[in-house]
Amino acid sequence: MNVYGTKQIRNVVLLGHGGAGKTTLAEAMALITGAVSRMGKITDGNTISDYDKEEIKRQFSISTTLIPLEYQGEDGPIKINLLDTPGYFDFVGEVEEAISVADAAVIVVNCKAGIEVGTYKAWELCEKYKLPRIIFVTNMDDDHASYRELLLRLEKEFGRKIAPFHLPIRENEKFVGFVNVVKMAGRRFTVNSDYEECEIPEYSQKNLGIAREALMEAVAETSEEYMERYFSGDEFTQEEISSALREHVIEGNIVPVMLGSGINAQGAKMVLQGIDKYFPTPDRYECIGVDVSTGERFTAKYNDNVSLSARVFKTIVDPFIGKYSLMKICTGTLKPDSNIYNVNKDTEEKIGKIYLLRGKDVIEVPELKAGDIGAVSKLSVTQTGDTIALRSAPIVYHKPEISTPYTYMRYKPKTKGDDDKVSSALSKLTEEDWTLKAVTDTENHQSLLYGIGDQQLDVVVSKLLNRYKVEIELSKPKFAFRETIRKKVEVQGRYKKQSGGHGQFGDVKMTFEPSGDLETPYVFEETVFGGAVPKNYFPAVEKGVAECILRGPLAAYPVVGLKATLTDGSYHPVDSSEMAFKMAATLAFKKGFMEANPVLLEPIASLKVTVPDKFTGDVMGDLNRRRGRVLGMNSNHNGKQIIEADVPMSELFGYNTDLRSMTGGMGTYEYEFSRYEQAPGDVQKREVEERASKVDRTEA
């Protein structure tokens, strides 16, 4: 593939609901540009994008795939870096990585299915990142697809920005072509996206007039001169129309709507033309970061005539094709066989060859210029989010904003002794996917796997088996309860043992009471009078308490909020020892704790749920069923409400699936640990019964 300059590059992300037709459109565009000689099909498992075994098996995209295409544009050849993203929400991290390097987006909408949750989410992401966009309506070959109804819904949901550039032509209830509203011309498909001119059907004239008028108004709004000409009845030239529309599309004031049939490769050429005409080149934007040498904000235009800087936005770790770091060149030119400086890690690395990845195909290139996207293999320390620059000009660019995973399950290797293999395999998967986290919960002696949703965790289990030949089992995690007491008690602990020779003797009187501070496990004090217990045994008594609070007598959970006071006791001048007093304190603790009205404390999460207005009642009702306390509700001024509530952590298990079900996938949530609160009686009873075998009931 040729080397392309900044002004010849278009970085375009494909967005949309799962199953809308993004991968099929990518295949059609690859066919039209000659990147492939025949279109692959998702059902046949031979598409460029979905090459992973899991994607072929499940027949949907799991990872973002880069597909570089060469296209002969109006003003010469251009390179389109197409980023085909997953549509299912569990893989949103892949979408966020792709969007972080995209300069524009094509939102794919299935005409029959209409506006789906993924369409809204794609639109919201484009608004958040201020990405120019085109909507491509696919599946127009379906007899039950109503383009007119879809247009009305698009305008209702997304406002006057929606501008139909195409209207369909149907004959005998079959989709055969389209009307180009910008050029006021009919197009009849011949082979794939190729077409011949045709008459505009009579039935299209009314809708064409409305669409055309809206476009001309948009063109007029680009300047006062155009506005005057428009009102005086002047016609704009085709060049003036295209130029004005491009400005509006780039600014996000107009969102063109195009149409076609991905499976028949119809309309793909029009999308390519739209990308060439209406989408910006990378140099329209600035790279924003921090100059490490000064700590000041750094901005630069995409420019290949200055020193090198680039940011790694994705890592691929494949056991067959190896490790690749995908990066977008921000400034300068990346050349092979050179040293690069990783600013985040303060390390130099040697790079060999430079590649483009097209699906699983690796294409070597002589260099990459600013604004382009490519890959380098086998970097040892460089990870996703790192910045490559010169040591003399250390710039750090912002890392991609990736969603935080809140769904988690406990995992165990199926085969004993596979812990190291599982750990190694998971580290490779987490390097690829930032929304995946493997965490060791030492308190509950469990390993936890965090992800965006259950589907993602299911894919991880499958990948571990197929890629790395290790099996894990997922199960419900244990939750970190605590134990404390509710009243003050005074007890004696007496330890006496005689076994020939020196015996063991320790005797303590202690009070146990709530300390009032649940953040601190225990407070130890002594008020011994007259040397009843020698001072040198005080540390041993405290040690006995300190060891006991690790596993409480109620349900073997850690103890918090305890105040232990040594008040009295007795000793033997020969038989007393530190161990004897430690054991005496242990006896006192076990007896006193169970007499002091012991209770279980459960972890409480501070939860925020963001949902469209119409779902607030259902969500609040569900939170009440989960023993949650709704604290308030605020509008985010985008037709959504943010519900704040306190909910027991144990009740949030499975919440991701339930929330999606309640809100049709529109609801999102986040939470953080807040505090501990006393668990209800039925919860305490169940926990105590379940953990009875873990409690140390033996007398010391």
Side-chain angles (χ1 to χ4, degrees), residues 180-235:
N180 185 323
V181 179
V182 180
K183 294 188 175 176
M184 293 292 282
R187 314 290 196 211
R188 181 190 297 276
F189 290 119
T190 52
V191 179
N192 297 329
S193 269
D194 291 339
Y195 57 78
E196 59 189 13
E197 291 207 17
C198 68
E199 291 292 318
I200 299 174
E202 188 62 37
Y203 64 79
S204 294
Q205 294 293 346
K206 183 184 174 186
N207 289 335
L208 176 59
I210 296 168
R212 176 74 177 179
E213 190 62 31
L215 280 187
M216 291 308 103
E217 277 184 31
V219 170
E221 286 173 7
T222 53
S223 75
E224 286 184 18
E225 180 203 335
Y226 280 12
M227 189 66 82
E228 285 176 18
R229 284 174 56 190
Y230 174 70
F231 282 122
S232 64
D234 275 7
E235 289 287 322

Side-chain angles (χ1 to χ4, degrees), residues 471-505:
E471 281 190 87
I472 62 169
E473 290 177 311
L474 298 182
S475 59
K476 184 177 179 178
K478 292 184 285 186
F479 298 96
F481 284 77
R482 295 283 186 268
E483 298 180 22
T484 194
I485 55 175
R486 284 287 179 248
K487 72 175 185 181
K488 183 177 180 178
V489 294
E490 185 172 342
V491 290
Q492 181 179 15
R494 186 179 175 89
Y495 181 72
K496 185 176 182 182
K497 203 168 187 180
Q498 199 70 39
S499 56
H502 282 311
Q504 295 287 345
F505 181 83

Side-chain angles (χ1 to χ4, degrees), residues 2-10 77-79 281-283 302 304 333 367-372:
N2 295 325
V3 173
Y4 288 84
T6 308
K7 289 192 178 296
Q8 296 172 292
I9 294 166
R10 308 283 190 279
I78 65 168
K79 179 188 179 192
T281 54
D283 59 353
Y302 285 90
D304 53 31
T333 303
E367 61 184 18
L368 289 172
K369 292 186 177 289
D372 209 347

Side-chain angles (χ1 to χ4, degrees), residues 658-674:
D658 293 346
L659 180 64
R660 283 187 192 171
S661 175
M662 273 185 289
T663 63
M666 291 295 288
T668 59
Y669 72 103
E670 59 186 89
Y671 66 84
E672 60 183 9
F673 169 75
S674 174

Side-chain angles (χ1 to χ4, degrees), residues 47 132 164 175 194 244 286 328 332 346 442 483 625 675 699:
T47 61
F175 174 61
D194 291 339
E286 288 182 326
K328 185 178 188 182
D346 189 21
T442 50
E483 298 180 22
R625 283 191 293 277
R675 64 190 177 281
E699 291 297 317

Side-chain angles (χ1 to χ4, degrees), residues 491-700:
V491 290
Q492 181 179 15
R494 186 179 175 89
Y495 181 72
K496 185 176 182 182
K497 203 168 187 180
Q498 199 70 39
S499 56
H502 282 311
Q504 295 287 345
F505 181 83
D507 177 28
V508 294
K509 283 186 178 176
M510 300 184 72
T511 60
F512 296 98
E513 60 191 305
S515 70
D517 177 14
L518 296 181
E519 300 290 317
T520 308
Y522 75 97
V523 176
F524 177 74
E525 292 180 0
E526 54 78 23
T527 57
V528 178
F529 182 72
V533 177
K535 284 184 180 180
N536 57 309
Y537 293 135
F538 292 173
V541 174
E542 182 175 0
K543 189 176 181 185
V545 173
E547 286 183 4
C548 285
I549 59 108
L550 298 176
R551 290 168 66 88
L554 186 61
Y557 283 115
V559 173
V560 294
L562 178 85
K563 182 179 178 183
T565 308
L566 175 62
T567 58
D568 201 358
S570 61
Y571 75 102
H572 189 280
V574 176
D575 290 351
S576 284
S577 67
E578 287 186 3
M579 189 200 81
F581 271 97
K582 188 183 95 168
M583 298 305 289
T586 300
L587 287 171
F589 179 91
K590 287 181 179 177
K591 183 182 178 188
F593 194 89
M594 295 307 288
E595 290 177 4
N597 190 11
V599 293
L600 273 191
L601 302 173
E602 63 180 341
I604 303 296
S606 180
L607 174 75
K608 284 185 182 178
V609 189
T610 304
V611 290
D613 294 342
K614 62 183 177 182
F615 297 117
T616 51
D618 292 342
V619 169
M620 286 198 284
D622 178 71
L623 289 175
N624 287 330
R625 283 191 293 277
R626 292 174 187 272
R627 299 191 285 119
R629 285 197 303 275
V630 176
L631 305 175
M633 192 165 70
N634 302 299
S635 171
N636 72 351
H637 308 297
N638 289 321
K640 291 185 178 179
Q641 296 289 339
I642 301 168
I643 301 167
E644 296 188 16
D646 284 345
V647 186
M649 291 280 282
S650 58
E651 296 289 344
L652 285 177
F653 182 72
Y655 188 60
N656 181 64
T657 304
D658 293 346
L659 180 64
R660 283 187 192 171
S661 175
M662 273 185 289
T663 63
M666 291 295 288
T668 59
Y669 72 103
E670 59 186 89
Y671 66 84
E672 60 183 9
F673 169 75
S674 174
R675 64 190 177 281
Y676 279 94
E677 280 185 5
Q678 185 172 337
D682 58 329
V683 174
Q684 175 164 321
K685 184 170 182 285
R686 185 180 68 239
E687 283 295 318
V688 170
E689 286 172 358
E690 284 180 4
R691 292 175 64 86
S693 63
K694 298 179 184 295
V695 177
D696 181 10
R697 302 289 186 198
T698 57
E699 291 297 317

